[in-house]
Amino acid sequence: EMQAVNGRVDTATGSSKESLSANDKLKQGLKAAREDIMRLRDGQKVTNTNVHNVKEELQTRSDDIKQIRADVDNVLQVQFDVLQGKLTENTLSISQLTQD
């Protein structure tokens, strides 16, 4: 009878040791997961900062491009007006020559 009790105690002790070992492995896994999550959060912060910086840079570039486009349009308009004036002068000159 005592041997049977000892056998059950040994079995329970073995199961307890296995459970403790499994618990330790779970704790280590959870600790590693927490550390990975913290690294991911830190990485996300860096990514968010980079995205914000890129957005600001794109806005600045967009503003620069709009200003350059406006400058080019102004230069083209001035050149067009000059050419239009010359064309009108030449048309009048041709008209006068054909009338003479």
Side-chain angles (χ1 to χ4, degrees):
E1 177 84 24
M2 205 50 180
Q3 234 175 5
V5 171
N6 283 340
R8 280 184 258 155
V9 169
D10 288 342
T11 301
T13 303
S15 294
S16 293
K17 287 180 182 178
E18 288 174 12
S19 294
L20 289 175
S21 175
N23 284 343
D24 286 341
K25 288 179 183 178
L26 285 173
K27 285 180 184 178
Q28 290 172 358
L30 287 172
K31 182 180 178 183
R34 279 191 204 109
E35 290 170 358
D36 290 344
I37 289 169
M38 293 305 293
R39 280 193 292 276
L40 286 171
R41 285 182 179 162
D42 290 342
Q44 186 65 45
K45 289 176 187 176
V46 171
T47 299
N48 288 345
T49 300
N50 290 342
V51 167
H52 179 73
N53 291 342
V54 167
K55 181 181 176 185
E56 286 182 351
E57 183 67 24
L58 286 174
Q59 184 61 47
T60 301
R61 298 286 184 214
S62 177
D63 294 343
D64 291 345
I65 289 169
K66 287 176 186 175
Q67 185 59 50
I68 290 169
R69 177 63 190 199
D71 293 344
V72 168
D73 287 346
N74 289 338
V75 168
L76 289 175
Q77 186 62 48
V78 168
Q79 289 179 349
F80 179 77
D81 292 343
V82 168
L83 290 173
Q84 186 69 36
K86 288 182 179 182
L87 179 62
T88 302
E89 288 175 19
N90 288 334
T91 302
L92 288 174
S93 295
I94 291 172
S95 294
Q96 288 176 351
L97 289 174
T98 56
Q99 289 176 0
D100 291 339

